[in-house]
Amino acid sequence: MEKVDVVIVGGGLSGLSCAYRLAEKDLQVIVVERGDFPGSKNVTGGRLYIKPIEGIVGDMLDGAPFERKVVRERWTLMGEKNSVTVDFTGENLKENRHSFTVLRSTFDRWLSERVMEKGVFVIPRYRVDGLLQEEGKVVGIKAGGEEIYANVVVASDGVLSFMAEKAGLKPRMTPKGYAIGIKEVIELSEDRINERFNVGKEEGVAHLFIGDVTKGRFGGGFLYTNRNTVSLGVVVGIKAMMEAKPPIELHTLLDTFKARYEIEGFIKGGRTVEYGAHIIPEMGYKGISKLYHDGLIITGDAAGFALNMGITVRGMEFAIASGIMAGETILKAHSTGDYSVNTLSQYGEMLKSSFVIKDLYNFREMGDFLDRDEVFSLYPRSIPDMIEKVVWFDEGPKERIGATLWKAAKGSGLMGLNTLKLLLGLKKV
Amino acid sequence: MKIEEKLALNAFKTDRESHIKINQEICRKACKTRYCLYVCPGHLYSYDEDRAEISVEFAGCLECGTCMIACREGAIEWSYPKGEFGVQYRYG
Ligand SMILES: Cc1cc2nc3c(=O)[nH]c(=O)nc-3n(C[C@H](O)[C@H](O)[C@H](O)COP(=O)(O)OP(=O)(O)OC[C@H]3O[C@@H](n4cnc5c(N)ncnc54)[C@H](O)[C@@H]3O)c2cc1C
Ligand code: SF4
Ligand code: SF4
């Protein structure tokens, strides 16, 4: 019977961050990953915010293969036939290490190599099939017909977490709790990206879209510039997609998005090199699973640590931070030899006093706030319409701009009770 | 770009056995909505009228799990492909 100190299930950002914290510490740690290499099964938007994790990652991300530093933030309200875009940039974004775009296949693989250099065993191409349990305690894993015993198992197996499910710590997944993201990676030369997006070398754009991209349903589109590719995708709530009448055919959304005039010019001449899909936890604070059990800790997406803030999706910082805190807790358990909930509960305490649970808690009403039609249909349609009325010069004399705006606002329902409720709701998020 | 062409860009290693199993009895008896036909990003599900059967081309599966979540009837038994198989992203 083989026994190690720690088995980490899943070589994503969370599992690898946990491994990094435990490396070089006189513990035997193995990471089991089902893909050909860590990263090969992973899809994100995406961009990683650095500030929240700067204080806890130590030197983990030194020399990380970031794609581009985000210096331009764009938001577009997409009407059916028109749109309005806000384009923000500033010295703070340009001069600080604020956020970076990433491609996970490259990024996670790099991190796994770093972790291996420090003595952690990363075993790819193994799917963990189940947990070994004795008297209600988790004591190891089953993978490919083999059993590996461990003092503690870390479930960093992502949003579908079969480990948390097997341990009975996760409720059944429902369409309301998750969104699906689909994405194309489109190759474009580095120079073209710089020119088209009006950014300098190694600088990039994060561009979010709401409205017609998802036919007015919960979700939105995204475009992130990488070094010599662009990540273009659509996220839509699973429930929202099912409830549309007729239901939305998911695979068509991205093509419709790509064909929009607003997008066409960005990707012209580019070559699609990959098509990916992955789901996102959408329940925020309310969707957090139980975080530990005797002999088991749950981190990252597996624990439900993700936050849709409308203007951005956050999950990677939570994955990294929770992985590191799991590692820290395990070091304590190792020093006392107690891997029961008595020690592992410190993981929960650490998370609570960190940005992870604090942010999830502060934005706990975000899900309900966003779960209303106005946000994804009324505003993205009526605001561009209103602007169109202002910029449009027709035959005959032009109406006064104030009068045009007033009429448009009243006519579109923008001034209705819904808006008042939305404004009141704003205070909570 | 057709969805088949998009999937053809990805690297897949296909197992002989499907990692997605559908209980046709449940589909026939309990399901009117057939959400599986809509929600799959790879458009991999289809319905054969004559045989009254749902099928899924598991070889093109992106392993997102959406079908399993959207099938409220619980007709889909879903697991990740065994290690070594399935989609392998080169960008992610
Ligand atoms: C479309 C989209 C856009 C997003 N955009 C952003 C963004 O811009 N910014 C942001 O911060 N977050 C974003 N997110 C969320 C973010 O990607 C996730 O929160 C993050 O990837 C979670 O990391 P993780 O390590 O917990 O899980 P994962 O990255 O999913 O890693 C889990 C790992 O476990 C492995 N695994 C699973 N089961 C087993 C098993 N049984 N045996 C062995 N190995 C197993 C998997 O292969 C994988 O490597 C986005 C997500 C999506 C889908
Ligand atoms: S949604 Fe589920 S029950 Fe309905 S047809 Fe599809 S697999 Fe069968
Ligand atoms: S897991 Fe995703 S890609 Fe695979 S069949 Fe289900 S919905 Fe389609």
Side-chain angles (χ1 to χ4, degrees), chain B residues 4-68:
Chain B
E4 297 80 19
E5 290 165 3
K6 283 193 202 182
L7 292 171
L9 298 169
N10 294 349
F12 290 103
K13 286 196 263 171
T14 310
D15 196 355
R16 257 175 295 171
E17 203 190 337
S18 174
H19 61 286
I20 306 173
K21 299 200 173 64
I22 303 167
N23 184 330
Q24 304 289 344
E25 282 309 304
I26 299 183
C27 302
R28 284 187 201 118
K29 266 196 221 139
C31 187
K32 295 204 175 55
T33 49
R34 298 199 192 117
Y35 286 127
C36 57
L37 302 180
Y38 299 88
V39 300
C40 172
H43 199 46
L44 299 169
Y45 279 81
S46 58
Y47 180 63
D48 182 329
E49 294 275 354
D50 297 338
R51 298 166 62 187
E53 238 176 61
I54 294 278
S55 59
V56 54
E57 288 170 49
F58 72 95
C61 177
L62 301 169
E63 300 168 28
C64 65
T66 309
C67 52
M68 164 183 72

Side-chain angles (χ1 to χ4, degrees), chain A residues 43-335:
Chain A
V43 179
T44 192
R47 78 125 129 231
L48 175 64
Y49 290 99
I50 298 297
K51 299 279 173 203
I53 51 173
E54 212 162 39
I56 50 174
V57 291
D59 61 359
M60 185 175 91
L61 297 180
D62 290 0
F66 293 122
E67 295 292 323
R68 286 173 184 256
K69 178 163 93 172
V70 176
V71 299
R72 216 174 252 292
E73 304 271 354
R74 289 187 179 144
W75 304 311
T76 295
L77 293 176
M78 274 285 202
E80 262 174 276
K81 292 179 177 152
N82 49 16
S83 64
V84 183
T85 299
V86 174
D87 184 346
F88 175 85
T89 185
E91 281 179 13
N92 274 338
L93 285 184
K94 275 185 71 75
E95 280 156 24
N96 289 295
R97 289 169 55 83
H98 178 256
S99 75
F100 291 88
T101 54
V102 296
L103 286 168
R104 293 290 296 279
S105 194
T106 322
F107 199 87
D108 295 13
R109 187 176 209 169
W110 169 84
L111 186 54
S112 76
E113 278 159 11
R114 205 163 154 77
V115 161
M116 282 189 278
E117 275 162 25
K118 290 185 178 284
V120 171
F121 290 96
V122 178
I123 309 174
R125 298 190 202 94
Y126 264 87
R127 178 189 71 188
V128 177
D129 300 320
L131 297 170
L132 298 172
Q133 304 195 48
E134 280 171 14
E135 296 164 13
K137 276 196 306 222
V138 174
V139 295
I141 57 150
K142 284 181 274 199
E146 288 167 47
E147 296 185 339
I148 303 174
Y149 284 81
N151 285 326
V152 61
V153 173
V154 184
S156 305
D157 53 338
V159 55
L160 296 177
S161 189
F162 291 104
M163 296 305 120
E165 187 191 292
K166 285 188 162 112
L169 303 185
K170 186 167 172 252
R172 189 169 166 233
M173 299 174 81
T174 61
K176 185 177 180 343
Y178 299 87
I180 167 75
I182 53 179
K183 157 176 159 180
E184 279 183 38
V185 179
I186 302 169
E187 204 170 62
L188 276 176
S189 77
E190 217 171 316
D191 290 342
R192 260 204 187 162
I193 292 178
N194 299 348
E195 279 163 29
R196 276 189 196 175
F197 294 92
N198 191 12
V199 289
K201 198 170 155 36
E202 290 173 21
E203 293 176 342
V205 178
H207 195 160
L208 283 302
F209 305 76
I210 59 167
D212 205 53
V213 190
T214 53
K215 306 196 171 170
R217 294 278 167 167
F218 178 90
F222 61 83
L223 184 159
Y224 295 99
T225 52
N226 305 312
R227 198 168 291 270
N228 58 358
T229 57
V230 164
S231 296
L232 183 72
V234 176
V235 173
V236 58
I238 297 180
K239 174 166 162 271
M241 178 165 67
M242 290 160 67
E243 279 177 352
K245 291 204 170 46
I248 293 175
E249 281 202 282
L250 176 63
H251 71 284
T252 63
L253 281 184
L254 191 48
D255 288 326
T256 316
F257 185 43
K258 279 170 74 181
R260 290 281 303 227
Y261 175 64
E262 290 86 347
I263 298 298
E264 226 185 349
F266 286 145
I267 57 172
K268 203 167 157 201
R271 190 171 61 99
T272 300
V273 289
E274 190 167 86
Y275 177 59
H278 199 91
I279 65 167
I280 311 173
E282 284 291 347
M283 283 184 297
Y285 184 74
K286 295 169 190 172
I288 300 176
S289 77
K290 276 189 74 181
L291 299 172
Y292 46 84
H293 184 75
D294 289 324
L296 180 74
I297 291 195
I298 304 181
T299 73
D301 269 13
F305 295 144
L307 188 55
N308 187 336
M309 303 179 47
I311 51 155
T312 193
V313 175
R314 290 174 64 192
M316 289 189 280
E317 311 116 77
F318 297 146
I320 290 173
S322 60
I324 289 173
M325 289 175 207
E328 233 144 78
T329 308
I330 290 169
L331 289 177
K332 287 191 182 141
H334 180 64
S335 68

Side-chain angles (χ1 to χ4, degrees), chain A residues 369-389:
Chain A
F369 178 77
L370 293 175
D371 191 17
R372 57 178 99 206
D373 288 340
E374 303 92 86
V375 179
F376 299 97
S377 58
L378 178 64
Y379 301 115
R381 278 186 192 153
S382 47
I383 294 173
D385 277 350
M386 203 156 100
I387 294 183
E388 182 158 339
K389 290 197 175 96

